[in-house]
Amino acid sequence: MLVDRARKFLLSLLPMLFLLAACGGGGGNPGSVPAPGPNATTGALQVTVTALPAGTNAAVRVTGPNNFTQDLTGSQTLANLAPGSYTVAASDVTAGSATYTPTPTTQTVIVNAGATASAMVAYGAGTLTLTLSQVGGSFDDPTFVAAPDGDERLFVVERRGVIRVLQNGNTRTAPWLDISARVFTGGEGGLLSMAFDPDFARNGYFYVYYVDPQRDIVVERFNRSPLPDVADATSGLVIVRVPHPQYDNHFGGLVAFGPDGLLYVGTGDGGGMGDPQGNAQNLASTLGKLLRVDVRGASVGQPYTIPPSNPYLNQPGRRPEIWAFGLRNPWRFAFDGEQLYIADVGQNEREEIDIASLLQGGLNYGWDIMEGTACYGTGICNQVSLTLPAFEYEHGPDDVNGCAITGGYVYRGGALPELAGHYFYSDYCRGFLKSFLANGTSVGEQRDWAIASPGKVVSFGRDGAGELYMVSAEGRIYKIVRGPSA
């Protein structure tokens, strides 16, 4: 009796044992995806990624029917997919100093019901290179390029007092703005830069920096017109006017909005060799300074107000507009978050880049006590309370290293993600493209990108997507783009 019961119990276990054997006994890879059966209504896609270093994530996106989107960082099998065409797109990734490029970058795979399709992405290592791609034709002595955030147009500033619109490689016939009748172009004068209001999409305001016939520095606000590619030239409101007597150089040249929504203006020391009028160290003068004002409520009666955190507010004998001083000719400066980069053009020997927190007002960058990290005109000087540059280079014999720094921007675009956070700069005499990565007030990862020189580089620019441009005195605008992998 007992034997019969035992035999029946064992026989009842046989189907379960066969099922366990067919399923591998439950000891298989828990991450594996079984192949769809012949009667399935969905399929699967196996994506295999190879040749990346351990710990380095791939950048692969799979898209398909029914708005399907899946980002992958490595090999993976996607199950329960609707039948149809799927696109597998892979992007470059960076590990250390190497850039890994996928092959292919894009492929199409058909997923059938009841089957598993496959796609292979193989990464190959290469050293990142950069090159220049000319955009548009030739311009008349360009000094700057800019664009509102998200705008596809590029606005090209010409020294003579004209701003032109460049879109899809074509320059509009009618200028965006023509104020040539009020611009002095002698010496280092001219229309030198522009800045779009942070709220440009709503209010249509933009600001220009130019030198007028009296050689004064002027920052003026204009408004767009009902026409999409033409501004209203009659809408001008003078925001800042800085007297600049006697000399026709060292006008500074940049107007820009900071991340705090305030307007910054970089003025030169008034010209002449060695700041003969002593403006840069004089807090009663607005020359040789970085000015900061609030223009959000600008009107004819009150074109700006003084931010409460400006360091010299309500201090007798000191101009409340001053944010920083001790500058010779801050032709270009830039912001990156709360970090401020000032490229200050030197006298005869040194070019410098000053880096500081935007929260630090009242810094003295040393001119004309010092040129870079060297005492100016003497072997010994009092450096107490001076903020020395984070980076500098000497001109060298016959200006072999350069003669006048052209400051650029910290890269935050999307086309070259491996360069995020790197600051780019050039030199008017040498036309190189160089970069470094700042860590606080020190720099590292210095690199010369060994580009073919575009000529005398007068400025950098940035478009609505955050990509960078170089402006050549020869009249050409170049976009900085990825070069062939080395």
Side-chain angles (χ1 to χ4, degrees), residues 42 172 223 288 379 425:
T42 61
R172 301 292 186 189
N223 203 346
Y425 66 99

Side-chain angles (χ1 to χ4, degrees), residues 25 39 66 78 82 113 139 146 152 156 158 209 217 252 265 271 273 291 310 325 327 344 373 452 462 474 479:
N39 297 320
N66 304 322
L78 305 175
F139 294 88
E152 294 182 352
V156 181
E158 296 179 331
Y209 186 120
I217 296 168
V265 179
M273 179 175 288
L291 310 179
N310 272 22
F325 67 107
L327 297 167
D344 196 13
T373 59
R462 187 165 50 190
E474 283 71 23
K479 186 177 183 178

Side-chain angles (χ1 to χ4, degrees), residues 70-97:
Q70 179 75 47
D71 291 322
L72 310 181
T73 58
S75 299
Q76 188 173 333
T77 299
L78 305 175
N80 299 318
L81 300 180
S85 177
Y86 288 78
T87 299
V88 180
S91 302
D92 290 355
V93 297
T94 300
S97 60

Side-chain angles (χ1 to χ4, degrees), residues 72-434:
L72 310 181
T73 58
S75 299
Q76 188 173 333
T77 299
L78 305 175
N80 299 318
L81 300 180
S85 177
Y86 288 78
T87 299
V88 180
S91 302
D92 290 355
V93 297
T94 300
S97 60
T99 298
Y100 291 82
T101 301
T103 304
T105 55
T106 304
Q107 56 187 303
T108 300
V109 182
I110 303 299
V111 172
N112 295 311
T116 299
S118 62
M120 174 78 73
V121 178
Y123 276 91
T127 301
L128 174 65
T129 65
L130 297 178
T131 189
L132 302 181
S133 176
Q134 185 175 347
V135 296
S138 182
F139 294 88
D140 186 356
D141 200 2
T143 56
F144 195 66
V145 293
D149 289 343
D151 201 306
E152 294 182 352
R153 297 170 295 177
L154 200 62
F155 294 76
V156 181
V157 178
E158 296 179 331
R159 188 180 298 274
R160 61 191 173 123
V162 172
I163 299 175
R164 309 195 71 86
V165 176
L166 176 64
Q167 186 171 16
N168 298 325
N170 299 313
T171 305
R172 301 292 186 189
T173 302
W176 168 260
L177 182 71
D178 185 348
I179 57 169
S180 53
R182 66 182 82 177
V183 174
F184 168 73
T185 58
E188 295 176 359
L191 178 57
L192 304 180
S193 68
M194 70 181 300
F196 289 94
D197 193 283
D199 203 16
F200 174 78
R202 183 186 64 83
N203 61 31
Y205 292 149
F206 65 97
Y207 300 74
V208 296
Y209 186 120
Y210 66 91
V211 179
D212 73 6
Q214 289 72 48
R215 303 185 189 183
D216 292 344
I217 296 168
V218 179
V219 173
E220 189 168 358
R221 189 192 77 185
F222 289 89
N223 203 346
R224 65 188 172 204
S225 78
L227 299 175
D229 292 316
V230 178
D232 182 358
T234 68
S235 64
L237 172 64
V238 172
I239 301 295
V240 173
R241 184 182 298 275
V242 177
H244 189 287
Q246 190 172 356
Y247 298 102
D248 62 2
N249 64 343
H250 298 187
F251 292 106
L254 186 66
V255 57
F257 281 91
D260 50 13
L262 301 175
L263 190 70
Y264 290 75
V265 179
T267 65
D269 66 6
M273 179 175 288
D275 191 10
Q277 298 171 330
N279 290 318
Q281 292 294 319
N282 180 5
L283 291 175
S285 169
T286 50
L287 291 169
K289 309 297 191 298
L290 186 64
L291 310 179
R292 185 176 81 152
V293 296
D294 190 339
V295 296
R296 284 171 287 198
S299 65
V300 175
Q302 189 175 25
Y304 64 83
T305 58
I306 304 298
S309 56
N310 272 22
Y312 305 114
L313 179 64
N314 298 324
Q315 294 190 21
R318 298 181 174 187
R319 292 297 297 262
E321 300 92 341
I322 296 172
W323 179 251
F325 67 107
L327 297 167
R328 182 178 178 273
N329 196 32
W331 171 245
R332 296 293 181 248
F333 56 89
F335 303 99
D336 183 50
E338 292 185 348
Q339 200 86 331
L340 170 65
Y341 295 70
I342 304 175
D344 196 13
V345 179
Q347 182 72 56
N348 292 321
E349 296 182 1
R350 296 166 184 259
E351 304 300 312
E352 71 178 74
I353 298 175
D354 304 302
I355 304 175
S357 168
L358 194 55
L359 303 177
Q360 296 176 275
L363 296 182
N364 182 354
Y365 290 108
W367 178 253
D368 64 337
I369 300 169
M370 304 186 71
E371 180 186 8
T373 59
C375 296
Y376 178 71
T378 179
I380 301 175
C381 58
N382 184 0
Q383 301 180 24
V384 175
S385 77
L386 301 184
T387 299
L388 300 185
F391 176 79
E392 68 175 351
Y393 61 90
E394 297 185 42
H395 293 186
D398 299 320
D399 292 337
V400 65
N401 299 319
C403 72
I405 192 167
T406 302
Y409 295 94
V410 174
Y411 181 77
R412 294 294 179 187
L416 302 163
E418 56 267 57
L419 294 179
H422 291 250
Y423 175 81
F424 284 83
Y425 66 99
S426 186
D427 187 279
Y428 179 76
C429 290
R430 291 301 170 193
F432 53 65
L433 177 63
K434 295 183 179 182

